[in-house]
Amino acid sequence: MERKVREEAMESITERLSSLDNLYFPRALQSSASDPSHRKSILHDLLSRDVPVFLERYGPELTIDELHEFDVLNDDYEVNWHLKHLRSKLSPTSEELKSRSVTVKNRRRAYLNKLICDGHYFSEDAMREREPYLHHEYVGRFQDLSGRSMARPGERWSETLLRRCEEARLVAKIREEQQRLGVAQKDWVGNDSNPQEEEEEEEEEEEEEEEEEEEDEDEMEKENGGDHGNEMLLDPPANETGAASATVVQHEEAPSAEEMLDRMDQFTYIMHQKFLSGEDHEHLDYSKIDDDETLDDHWLREANYDAEEKYFDED
């Protein structure tokens, strides 16, 4: 007598599955699958004639109790394989959990390499959009914010406006985090003056001071004679040197190009680790990455390459 899943179980399983949203159907059946009653008949028909394909396609949607209904067919190699695979995901053993953890780590590293090669997800602008405050702490506070709002070659005015709105949103997020952490208001992003404006103001102040000194010298020469006036100019005023040193203390020294590159590398490394640890769930669907078996091929190639390197190094 041919073994088969109980008819009551088939009715119950297909009835429940037919009510699920976003259930997969082959393209040829998608038009008729829009009707719930037709969906059930399609599922029932597949379950009646090809259990392995049914388990492959809809097995992840089944419960433990529903999987028990297929035990009558465990003599079938394909059915048995699917049942073991599905049960290991629903109630894995400790060894399976360890193995799964290693697999997930390897797949995420493989996907990380793909994202790095793609060049967009880990570009500076994309990382700054995801973590504006972290970017600000590492490199942003040493950059000129005004340049980010300027129109770019070939850019439409509407695109420039949208980018400026996005920039304002990011600056607001940085300020919110600074306020939350208790950063002094004078150090909030956007509160500092433009460096070029500061230089121009300093030059104007220096010119005014020089003019005042020249006027003082002329008056002193008239009152005390030219020689005395020239002797007094040999030593600069104490308050002038003090003001110059105070200016240096107030402004943090800008890093060199090499130091900026090192800070950018540190920021990028942190963003890589955040991705690997699963903290980018707002931007990526980790379930698709962790369950993507095609990423195993990438990792196996990397492992084989490392093994070959080790072999030739030992020789």
Side-chain angles (χ1 to χ4, degrees):
M1 181 178 177
E2 183 182 1
R3 295 183 177 182
K4 59 182 294 186
V5 179
R6 293 185 306 112
E7 182 62 31
E8 295 85 351
M10 294 173 62
E11 285 289 328
S12 174
I13 291 171
T14 55
E15 177 72 29
R16 188 182 68 80
L17 291 180
S18 65
S19 65
L20 297 180
D21 293 330
N22 301 319
L23 197 66
Y24 169 79
F25 287 95
R27 182 173 297 180
L29 300 173
Q30 285 179 359
S31 58
S32 57
S34 58
D35 187 331
S37 60
H38 290 169
R39 286 155 64 98
K40 181 181 176 181
S41 63
I42 293 171
L43 293 169
H44 193 284
D45 176 64
L46 178 62
L47 179 54
S48 301
R49 60 184 171 80
D50 199 333
V51 174
V53 172
F54 181 87
L55 290 174
E56 179 183 5
R57 192 175 293 173
Y58 304 110
E61 306 293 342
L62 301 179
T63 66
I64 284 288
D65 291 337
E66 288 172 339
L67 288 177
H68 285 319
E69 297 292 341
F70 294 87
D71 286 341
V72 295
L73 304 174
N74 58 12
D75 290 340
D76 185 295
Y77 174 80
E78 287 185 85
V79 172
N80 190 43
W81 185 91
H82 283 297
L83 291 176
K84 285 183 177 180
H85 179 67
L86 293 168
R87 281 173 176 148
S88 70
K89 286 189 172 183
L90 289 173
S91 55
T93 64
S94 59
E95 288 299 319
E96 288 171 338
L97 285 173
K98 290 180 182 178
S99 176
R100 171 66 177 172
S101 177
V102 172
T103 300
V104 166
K105 287 180 180 178
N106 290 342
R107 288 174 181 175
R108 289 186 185 183
R109 287 192 178 278
Y111 200 78
L112 171 68
N113 290 336
K114 291 179 67 175
L115 291 174
I116 293 173
C117 292
D118 177 62
H120 172 71
Y121 191 78
F122 287 109
S123 65
E124 181 178 357
D125 285 345
M127 291 190 295
R128 179 175 181 259
E129 184 175 348
R130 295 196 299 276
E131 290 290 342
Y133 180 73
L134 193 62
H135 174 273
H136 174 76
E137 282 299 293
Y138 274 89
V139 292
R141 58 197 174 107
F142 303 109
Q143 297 174 337
D144 182 11
L145 283 177
S146 62
R148 295 183 177 276
S149 300
M150 295 177 64
R152 296 175 181 176
E155 187 177 61
R156 296 179 180 178
W157 176 240
S158 58
E159 294 172 338
T160 303
L161 291 177
L162 287 174
R163 191 161 47 76
R164 286 180 179 176
C165 290
E166 179 63 19
E167 179 62 23
R169 185 183 67 83
L170 293 178
V171 170
K173 290 184 70 174
I174 296 172
R175 279 201 175 193
E176 287 177 6
E177 188 65 13
Q178 288 177 322
Q179 292 174 24
R180 188 184 70 82
L181 296 173
V183 176
Q185 186 172 352
K186 64 183 181 62
D187 296 326
W188 291 354
V189 62
N191 275 8
D192 54 331
S193 303
N194 187 297
Q196 184 177 354
E197 294 175 354
E198 290 181 352
E199 290 178 6
E200 292 174 355
E201 290 174 1
E202 289 176 1
E203 289 176 358
E204 291 176 0
E205 290 175 0
E206 289 175 0
E207 291 174 359
E208 291 175 359
E209 289 176 0
E210 289 174 358
E211 291 175 359
E212 290 176 0
E213 288 174 4
E214 289 174 359
E215 291 174 0
D216 291 339
E217 289 170 17
D218 293 339
E219 291 177 2
M220 292 173 69
E221 285 178 0
K222 291 177 181 178
E223 295 174 1
N224 303 323
D227 293 338
H228 276 295
N230 289 335
E231 287 174 1
M232 293 184 69
L233 288 175
L234 294 176
D235 296 320
N239 62 344
E240 183 178 340
T241 56
S245 61
T247 302
V248 175
V249 172
Q250 289 174 359
H251 297 283
E252 185 176 1
E253 184 178 353
S256 64
E258 184 178 355
E259 290 171 335
M260 281 292 287
L261 185 61
D262 181 58
R263 296 180 73 89
M264 188 65 206
D265 288 342
Q266 293 178 43
F267 171 61
T268 303
Y269 173 79
I270 292 174
M271 296 300 289
H272 288 174
Q273 296 306 308
K274 286 174 70 67
F275 163 76
L276 292 173
S277 63
E279 295 181 44
D280 283 2
H281 54 85
E282 293 183 3
H283 313 285
L284 294 168
D285 185 351
Y286 277 98
S287 63
K288 291 183 178 180
I289 299 171
D290 297 346
D291 294 334
D292 188 355
E293 296 180 358
T294 63
L295 294 172
D296 297 339
D297 297 335
H298 171 93
W299 190 252
L300 286 173
R301 286 197 299 270
E302 291 290 324
N304 290 336
Y305 177 78
D306 291 342
E308 290 176 3
E309 289 288 308
K310 183 178 180 181
Y311 174 79
F312 287 115
D313 287 343
E314 290 175 351
D315 289 348

